[in-house]
Amino acid sequence: RPRRVPPQPSMSTEEEVTVPPSPSSPTSPLNQIILLHGGLNGGSTAAQAGNTRRCIDLLIAKKVKYRDVDGSDSEQKEERDSLFQISGVRGNYPQLFVSVSSSPPTPPEFLGAWEKIEEMNELNDLPREVLEANPDIVTLDMVFEECEKVIEG
């Protein structure tokens, strides 16, 4: 069962993150990460394009499989608008979402824009004792643990 995490100090009061449940067996479907960006060849500011590249580098380093949604692509406008509606944030790229594997399917959950993703990644460095004593802290590794990984080889 997903665990709801109350807003953390840097989160808005309306923002919550769900830590996906552990699969019941190795064959359980895994969650999927969705990356919404403003295009790598324009379509967003230079800062947003740089943050998008850093986000992609992070996903690659963590070996997390993700689905790419280019917000500047007219063919992906409907999905982009749907993701904007979920996040409540328009035109701020990149944004990450978690599509939680469930039956029946549910809409993706907004994980955060780049600043939040970067913060969650930094939380990975907290000592295990601190994380165990503060179960409301959600790290990026905790979220990625139940997500599809890139298979090498």
Side-chain angles (χ1 to χ4, degrees):
R1 199 174 140 212
R3 173 172 56 108
R4 285 290 199 196
V5 177
Q8 295 175 16
S10 65
M11 299 169 75
S12 73
T13 54
E14 297 158 16
E15 192 174 358
E16 253 185 18
V17 173
T18 300
V19 177
S22 296
S24 56
S25 72
T27 59
S28 296
L30 295 172
N31 301 325
Q32 182 182 46
I33 294 295
I34 301 169
L35 168 64
L36 173 62
H37 62 84
L40 299 175
N41 302 317
S44 63
T45 68
Q48 289 180 0
N51 289 342
T52 297
R53 282 188 207 91
R54 283 189 282 285
C55 189
I56 291 170
D57 289 345
L58 178 63
L59 292 167
I60 291 169
K62 299 284 186 183
K63 298 180 177 13
V64 174
K65 189 174 182 178
Y66 65 94
R67 189 163 56 81
D68 187 86
V69 178
D70 182 346
S72 67
D73 182 352
S74 61
E75 292 181 12
Q76 294 184 314
K77 181 183 183 305
E78 189 175 317
E79 185 170 15
R80 176 203 68 193
D81 289 347
S82 173
L83 293 172
F84 279 163
Q85 187 171 6
I86 291 167
S87 71
V89 180
R90 293 188 75 82
N92 182 16
Y93 301 107
Q95 296 181 30
L96 282 186
F97 299 81
V98 179
S99 183
V100 177
S101 178
S102 64
S103 183
T106 58
E109 296 182 20
F110 181 55
L111 188 56
W114 173 246
E115 295 76 17
K116 176 66 183 161
I117 301 308
E118 194 172 41
E119 176 186 303
M120 290 176 74
N121 189 48
E122 290 170 4
L123 291 173
N124 289 327
D125 295 332
L126 289 175
R128 184 185 337 202
E129 311 80 64
V130 172
L131 293 172
E132 289 171 356
N134 298 280
D136 291 346
I137 294 176
V138 178
T139 70
L140 201 55
D141 285 349
M142 288 176 185
V143 174
F144 288 168
E145 188 176 311
E146 304 302 332
C147 292
E148 290 182 65
K149 302 292 189 290
V150 174
I151 298 171
E152 295 181 28

